[in-house]
Amino acid sequence: VMAVGQCQVIVVTKQMLEQASVYVHIKNRLENLQLGYFHANLQTLFNTFDGDGNGVLDQEELRSLMKVLGYDYTQEEFDKGFAKMDRHFADEVDFDDFLEFWEEANCVDP
């Protein structure tokens, strides 16, 4: 950093740019690995609450899962969330629907 008159000028070298690029690359890889690990754990949790093993959660199964995750919705809140997740209007939610809703609700980039 150099002072030129009343302004400060930041001098950036090629080496600094390369180091920054490597840092960003490593940071992005780590975030992707963490997100993959998180998705795998969420999938395991989803499967645990899929009592009949059919690959989807009905309303009762989903409500139990959400309580374990720390969400104790009113019936009205739960109904709205369930309706938003149930994109196929089958009165059940598959993992992809659940994951998409979870990511939106928690501001996670897929």
Side-chain angles (χ1 to χ4, degrees):
V1 177
M2 301 183 314
V4 177
Q6 300 255 339
C7 300
Q8 287 187 341
V9 176
I10 298 174
V11 177
V12 179
T13 66
K14 182 178 177 185
Q15 182 182 8
M16 292 167 73
L17 289 174
E18 288 170 356
Q19 288 173 344
S21 177
V22 168
Y23 168 78
V24 168
H25 177 73
I26 291 171
K27 180 179 174 282
N28 288 341
R29 291 275 313 220
L30 183 58
E31 286 173 354
N32 288 338
L33 288 172
Q34 289 171 335
L35 189 57
Y37 179 74
F38 175 76
H39 285 181
N41 285 330
L42 205 53
Q43 176 77 63
T44 299
L45 192 58
F46 182 93
N47 293 343
T48 300
F49 282 84
D50 180 12
D52 52 8
N54 64 352
V56 295
L57 299 182
D58 61 28
Q59 289 192 24
E60 183 180 324
E61 293 168 333
L62 181 65
R63 183 177 273 289
S64 296
L65 171 59
M66 296 307 286
K67 281 186 180 182
V68 164
L69 291 173
Y71 298 96
D72 192 17
Y73 295 113
T74 66
Q75 187 63 46
E76 183 180 338
E77 292 169 332
F78 179 81
D79 290 345
K80 284 181 184 178
F82 190 86
K84 200 172 180 185
M85 279 187 260
D86 183 15
R87 295 182 297 175
H88 308 290
F89 307 106
D91 205 32
E92 58 193 19
V93 174
D94 64 22
F95 180 71
D96 290 337
D97 294 338
F98 173 73
L99 182 60
E100 184 177 312
F101 179 82
W102 178 265
E103 289 173 342
E104 286 177 17
N106 292 284
C107 301
V108 176
D109 290 327

